[in-house]
Amino acid sequence: MAHPGLVDIARSAFDEVLGGATDQVHRLRQDVRVTAAELLDPRGLAGPVTDAGVRSNVSVAVRYLEAWLRGVGAVVIDGHVEDASTAEISRAQLWQWTARRTVTAEGTPVTRDLVERLLAEVVAERPRTPDDRFDDAARMFRSVTLEESFPTFFTVPGYVEHLVTGTSP
């Protein structure tokens, strides 16, 4: 739940489908067959990776990280409520796409250089204020998205750098 005010709305939708049940463990999907190769396919079930999707992931991840560094846990980005899970999915996909040398549907190789260029563009497009954290967010984004090995969940190094060592303003 991104906001406690949505609990009643979500609960009513779940109750409508579940009745009095608390889960759907009994609902098996024997018709669904997923192979190991499909689980490892970076394209997933959502279709091909696109140039717009790569840019969106960069934008959402760095903009959420900036808000997170200011202590905001959920933020509206491009009309959607985003939280840590969205940033985590975005940066994880970007890492996987660069590591696997994915090529977008438009023919663009997803490289670290491309992601760096998009990151610079996204940060340059943002309105800046004296108390924003975009520079810190860009550094953090690079450390959790563009390393050779896949880093742990982004909040772990974020807590270490910004809370334990006290580099926050």
Side-chain angles (χ1 to χ4, degrees), residues 82-159:
E82 308 294 10
D83 60 14
S85 63
T86 309
E88 182 61 17
I89 291 165
S90 294
R91 71 99 186 178
Q93 285 180 327
L94 290 164
W95 185 90
Q96 186 178 48
W97 294 339
T98 58
R100 292 188 177 263
R101 295 176 171 80
T102 299
V103 176
T104 67
E106 296 84 359
T108 307
V110 183
T111 63
R112 285 179 177 79
D113 287 342
L114 171 66
V115 174
E116 279 280 1
R117 182 176 55 78
L118 293 172
L119 174 62
E121 289 174 10
V122 167
V123 171
E125 293 166 0
R126 304 309 311 154
R128 301 299 296 264
T129 64
D131 62 341
D132 76 45
R133 302 293 300 274
F134 281 108
D135 295 333
D136 293 329
R139 278 192 297 280
M140 188 172 166
F141 173 89
R142 284 184 196 94
S143 74
V144 299
T145 307
L146 298 175
E147 296 293 322
E148 287 294 322
S149 59
F150 187 69
T152 178
F153 189 73
F154 81 82
T155 59
V156 175
Y159 286 140

Side-chain angles (χ1 to χ4, degrees), residues 56-94:
S56 176
N57 276 2
V58 171
S59 179
V60 168
V62 74
R63 290 163 63 195
Y64 179 79
L65 290 174
E66 190 279 332
W68 185 81
L69 288 169
R70 288 185 292 105
V72 179
V75 62
V76 176
I77 297 175
D78 300 332
H80 300 261
V81 176
E82 308 294 10
D83 60 14
S85 63
T86 309
E88 182 61 17
I89 291 165
S90 294
R91 71 99 186 178
Q93 285 180 327
L94 290 164

